[in-house]
Amino acid sequence: QVQLVESGGGLVQAGGSLRLSCAASGSIFSINTMAWYRQAPAKQRELVATITIAGTTNYANSVKGRFTISRDNAKNTMYLQMNSLLPEDTARYYCNTVPMYTFWGQGTQVTVSS
């Protein structure tokens, strides 16, 4: 059963924007905190941003002021609006709970070039 489905990634020039979406099962989305993670080749997985059911958000220092995490509880969907993208943002982006659910979706690739 597919429970986490990420979409919206792509190739964009530095300074551009992308909006990622995460469709989750109701059981997963009922967990208080959802999050976006990312992982680049040969690097450890990094926590990018978190959001609670009530809407409290937290961001990694590297993306503060540039990324905005949001969620639509009625649609069991989470979003990540990414602005002012940098080459260092290049990675595969995944959604999951906090703490992490055992299984991951396939993620969506974000590549920033200039």
Side-chain angles (χ1 to χ4, degrees):
Q1 180 181 354
V2 177
Q3 296 183 299
L4 294 165
V5 181
E6 301 91 345
S7 62
L11 175 63
V12 64
Q13 293 185 344
S17 299
L18 286 172
R19 179 178 167 87
L20 307 184
S21 296
C22 168
S25 69
S27 295
I28 291 178
F29 216 73
S30 68
I31 300 300
N32 188 45
T33 305
M34 295 292 296
W36 283 99
Y37 301 82
R38 67 186 182 186
Q39 186 167 28
K43 296 182 180 179
Q44 290 184 290
R45 182 176 54 240
E46 175 187 17
L47 181 63
V48 177
T50 66
I51 184 169
T52 66
I53 292 176
T56 300
T57 60
N58 281 290
Y59 299 90
N61 289 333
S62 59
V63 306
K64 285 181 179 177
R66 300 188 298 118
F67 291 10
T68 302
I69 188 172
S70 62
R71 63 192 290 167
D72 186 333
N73 294 327
K75 292 182 170 60
N76 289 347
T77 303
M78 180 174 65
Y79 307 94
L80 185 67
Q81 179 66 47
M82 306 186 296
N83 299 325
S84 302
L85 283 162
L86 302 169
E88 64 193 50
D89 295 317
T90 295
R92 195 158 189 88
Y93 285 70
Y94 302 86
C95 60
N96 213 307
T97 56
V98 179
M100 292 177 291
Y101 179 65
T102 302
F103 301 102
W104 296 79
Q106 292 186 320
T108 185
Q109 180 67 36
V110 172
T111 302
V112 184
S113 64
S114 180

